[in-house]
Amino acid sequence: MRELSGVTKRHGARSVLRGVDLDVPTGAAVGILGANGSGKSTLLRILAGVSRPSGGTVTGRPRIGYVPDRFPARQRMSARAYLRHLGRISGLSTVEAATRADGWLDRFALAGGPDTPLRDLSKGNAQKVGIAQALLCDPELLVLDEPWSGLDPDARDVLTEVIGEVSAAGTAVVFTDHRPEAVRALATRSHRLSDGRLEPLEAEVETCRIVLRDGESVDWAAQPGVQAVRPGHLDVTLVVTVEARESLLLKAIQQGCAVLSVAAR
Ligand SMILES: Nc1ncnc2c1ncn2[C@@H]1O[C@H](COP(=O)(O)OP(=O)(O)OP(=O)(O)O)[C@@H](O)[C@H]1O
C-alpha cells in the first residue's frame, strides 16, 4: 500500500533520516517508538506525503488521513463547520459530511460541543478534531503522530478502539508513541527509530486475526499467544500468533463465543 525505500532526510547539515525502509501493507498496524528528536514526525510527514524525502523513494498512493504532531486549530470556524467543510471538499455529499462530522465529534465527546470555535478548543479537544478530520473520508492509510498525547482517558480508549476497528476493516495504520507497552499492545509491527534508522522492536512473529462475538467473559490478553486485544462495539478482535491459533479458537468455542472470522494478517 505504501512503501519507503532508502529514505533520507536532511535538515540543513543535520541528517535526520539515514536510509529508512518501511513497508506498510493493507491492514497493518505499525507502531514507531523513538526518543524526542529522533525523527518520528519527520518520518510520518514523509509517509503522509506532506514532506518530500531528500533521497530514496516513496511508493503507493493510498487515500491518507494524517494527524500531525500539532493540530493547527486557530480558526474562528466551529469544529462541526470545519469538519463538514473538509468532508465536502473531499467529495462527500452535504448530508454525508454532516453525519460523519457529527458522528466523530460525538464519539470523541468534544467538550463544549460541536459548535465550539476551533481557536477556543483546549489542546486535547483540538486533538480530537484533528483525529476526526483524518478519519472523515475513510482513509486507506491512517498516519497518526503521537495521537494519544493530550487526550483524556476516555478519549484515549476511544482512539485505541477506533484504531482496532479501522485496522480490522483493512485500513493500514502507522502511529508513533513514547510508550513501548502501548506500541506492543496495538501494533502488528513495531519499530524503533534511532540514529536515523528504523530497527524492528522485536523479532516478527507470524500472526493472524480472530474476530469473536460474546468473548467478553475471557481475559484474552492473559492467554498465551495473544498479542493484542481490540474491543469493538459488538465484537472483539484478537491478534494471535499462528502457533496459538487452534488452541485459542478451541477456548473461544468452549467459552460459547461465536467465531466471526479468522484471517491472516
Ligand atoms: N523544518 C525543520 N527544520 C530544521 N530542523 C528540523 C525541522 N523539522 C525537524 N527538525 C529537526 O529534526 C529532528 C527530528 O525532529 P522530529 O520532530 O522529526 O523528531 P520527533 O522524533 O518527532 O521528536 P518528538 O518526540 O519530540 O516529537 C530534530 O532535531 C528537529 O529539531
Side-chain angles (χ1 to χ4, degrees):
M1 158 167 310
R2 189 84 156 158
E3 189 171 352
L4 308 190
S5 184
V7 161
T8 61
K9 182 73 180 184
R10 300 182 70 83
H11 284 306
R14 170 141 197 242
S15 268
V16 178
L17 303 177
R18 299 162 183 261
V20 169
D21 298 322
L22 178 64
D23 181 23
V24 186
T26 303
V30 178
I32 298 174
L33 279 171
N36 289 133
S38 57
K40 300 182 297 301
S41 298
T42 303
L43 174 60
L44 261 53
R45 277 197 292 272
I46 291 171
L47 195 63
V50 298
S51 166
R52 282 169 196 265
S54 308
T57 57
V58 181
T59 50
R61 295 171 64 86
R63 191 166 56 251
I64 295 174
Y66 171 50
V67 179
D69 53 345
R70 264 168 248 131
F71 179 65
R74 287 182 218 96
Q75 302 163 46
R76 220 181 321 162
M77 194 185 262
S78 74
R80 171 186 266 157
Y82 170 75
L83 291 177
R84 288 180 175 190
H85 177 65
L86 275 188
R88 291 285 295 125
I89 57 179
S90 311
L92 299 178
S93 70
T94 308
V95 173
E96 188 61 23
T99 307
R100 291 193 191 189
D102 289 2
W104 285 120
L105 291 177
D106 186 49
R107 188 151 178 203
F108 279 99
L110 189 78
D115 292 318
T116 310
L118 288 175
R119 65 182 183 188
D120 294 346
L121 293 173
S122 66
K123 178 176 185 284
N125 282 306
Q127 180 73 353
K128 293 177 187 177
V129 179
I131 295 167
Q133 61 80 29
L135 288 163
L136 206 58
C137 295
D138 295 334
E140 294 162 316
L141 169 63
L142 198 50
V143 179
L144 306 170
D145 198 346
E146 294 189 35
W148 289 273
S149 89
L151 294 182
D152 55 50
D154 285 349
R156 292 172 85 93
D157 289 348
V158 171
L159 176 60
T160 304
E161 194 177 282
V162 168
I163 291 176
E165 284 170 19
V166 298
S167 138
T171 297
V173 183
V174 180
F175 64 92
T176 56
D177 202 81
H178 286 284
R179 303 163 302 163
E181 67 290 351
V183 170
R184 283 201 176 91
L186 199 56
T188 52
R189 301 169 180 215
S190 319
H191 302 272
R192 183 183 297 282
L193 187 60
S194 170
D195 200 22
R197 292 193 175 84
L198 213 47
E199 310 285 350
L201 203 53
E202 61 219 4
E204 271 205 30
V205 181
E206 201 187 345
T207 60
C208 66
R209 204 168 52 214
I210 300 177
V211 184
L212 303 173
R213 194 182 297 143
D214 304 324
E216 303 82 5
S217 58
V218 181
D219 181 5
W220 290 109
Q223 306 301 317
V226 176
Q227 294 205 332
V229 179
R230 299 177 189 148
H233 272 325
L234 296 171
D235 52 28
V236 59
T237 300
L238 310 179
V239 178
V240 310
T241 60
V242 167
E243 224 177 8
R245 178 179 53 198
E246 269 69 37
S247 60
L248 288 163
L249 283 170
L250 185 62
K251 181 161 188 83
I253 291 163
Q254 284 169 344
Q255 297 292 320
C257 308
V259 179
L260 300 185
S261 69
V262 182
R265 293 209 58 100

